[in-house]
Amino acid sequence: MGDFYGHATGTIANGQVRLVYLATAGPRIVGLFREGSERNLLAETPELGWETPAGTLRLYGGHRLWVAPEVPAYTYVPDNEGVVVTALADGVSLCRPAEGAAGIGKTLEIHLHPDEAVVSLLHHLDNEGEQTVEIAPWAITQLPLGGTAFLPQPMEPVDADGLRPNRQLALWPYSDWEDPRFRPGNELILVDGQPRERAFKLGTFIRHGWAGYLYADGTLLAKTFAVEPERRYPDLNSNVEVYVWDRFLELETLGPLTRLEPGQRVSHREEWRLHSDVPPATIAAFAP
């Protein structure tokens, strides 16, 4: 067992990447490392959190599974203990049964490619309560400042005559159109991971099924995910969101809203790929 600021951890690796997860809290991935490197590609925020009626909610950092839309009763459920770790043939499963009135259990399955810098993540939400709920899995990755998030935008029409809109953008009340970190473009929206006292957040619907974060040293973390354009997503139909503050940038993907009966499960898949020495001008070439 390892240690993350006083919290027990476990590790899985494949010779290309090494992942560190919390062994008792979460589910949470708190470390992503290139093999042979001690530089964590995920943000570390063990001191950040806030009080809720159910206790202290801690962010820890790294990658977490939340419940969308953002409703405190469902989303802000503390997860500081109770995780069950199960070894898998190619990774590990982190399961936290439901607790409290929300009744939503969470499971994060981590699967490593046998010999590439590729990680597959399955995010499961289980309705273990007595009420039907409409929710979506929300996969949130906290990243260290210094890089840039890339969100591809469609240029092609969505109808034969090119008369219907093909792009959309959701902004939160605290988001400023003139925030210098926000750099919209025709093919890519860029959000720079730079510290400012005021947070900025945007959401969009990405039909391409990928988004990425380019670190200052040219390392690219590319996330791919399924897209279901015929279904409805949270937050004004956003399947990708970016939040940046003075400590971290979050690159988030969401599944579609699902009416979940008691005893049912909804799942959301992400695949992470790490690329090295990527010039910013070539980002589009790494699309799946």
Side-chain angles (χ1 to χ4, degrees):
M1 282 285 183
D3 178 88
F4 179 81
Y5 298 94
H7 302 279
T9 63
T11 301
I12 55 174
N14 66 354
Q16 295 292 323
V17 292
R18 176 166 49 93
L19 273 80
V20 179
Y21 58 87
L22 295 184
T24 58
R28 193 81 87 255
I29 300 171
V30 293
L32 172 64
F33 301 86
R34 282 284 202 177
E35 197 60 57
S37 171
E38 293 304 315
R39 181 170 73 101
N40 192 354
L41 296 175
L42 303 179
E44 301 178 4
T45 60
E47 78 287 3
L48 295 183
W50 58 89
E51 294 301 320
T52 78
T56 303
L57 175 66
R58 300 194 180 281
L59 291 182
Y60 296 106
H63 182 80
R64 67 185 187 271
L65 170 58
W66 264 12
V67 179
E70 193 164 358
V71 177
Y74 288 97
T75 309
Y76 299 163
V77 177
D79 55 6
N80 304 313
E81 58 185 5
V83 164
V84 178
V85 179
T86 303
L88 305 174
D90 58 352
V92 68
S93 172
L94 310 175
C95 178
R96 187 178 187 279
E99 182 176 305
I104 307 299
K106 301 175 183 178
T107 299
L108 175 60
E109 292 183 33
I110 310 169
H111 301 268
L112 290 181
H113 189 280
D115 52 19
E116 294 181 11
V118 177
V119 183
S120 294
L121 302 176
L122 285 173
H123 307 80
H124 306 297
L125 297 179
D126 294 285
N127 186 356
E128 300 174 14
E130 299 179 355
Q131 304 295 322
T132 300
V133 294
E134 187 176 47
I135 57 175
W138 187 5
I140 302 175
T141 308
Q142 282 193 335
L143 300 159
L145 297 177
T148 299
F150 287 77
L151 309 180
Q153 296 294 292
M155 295 299 293
E156 65 280 359
V158 295
D159 63 302
D161 298 315
L163 300 176
R164 293 167 53 195
N166 68 342
R167 283 165 283 181
Q168 65 189 66
L169 197 64
L171 293 177
W172 272 248
Y174 49 81
S175 298
D176 182 354
W177 276 112
E178 297 182 354
D179 193 308
R181 296 170 295 190
F182 173 49
R183 295 193 281 148
N186 287 326
E187 296 185 356
L188 291 168
I189 291 176
L190 279 57
V191 181
D192 293 321
Q194 297 297 328
R196 293 192 80 196
E197 184 177 353
R198 182 171 179 173
F200 177 85
K201 185 172 184 178
L202 67 85
T204 188
F205 187 83
I206 296 182
R207 296 176 180 272
H208 302 69
W210 77 276
Y213 188 71
L214 185 65
Y215 299 81
D217 68 350
T219 298
L220 173 66
L221 172 61
K223 284 190 177 194
T224 60
F225 47 90
V227 180
E228 300 182 62
E230 72 285 354
R231 298 186 62 187
R232 184 168 59 93
Y233 284 76
D235 299 339
L236 301 180
N237 208 46
S238 298
N239 66 351
V240 175
E241 298 173 356
V242 174
Y243 174 92
V244 60
W245 187 45
D246 67 353
R247 285 290 313 281
F248 55 82
L249 180 144
E250 290 182 341
L251 183 58
E252 313 167 359
T253 69
L254 301 96
L257 286 163
T258 300
R259 185 175 173 82
L260 211 61
E261 304 285 346
Q264 291 185 333
R265 162 177 281 190
V266 62
S267 301
H268 173 63
R269 182 187 184 94
E270 278 189 352
E271 184 176 271
W272 297 357
R273 286 182 174 269
L274 285 173
H275 305 274
S276 300
D277 302 319
V278 178
T282 68
I283 288 293
F286 292 86

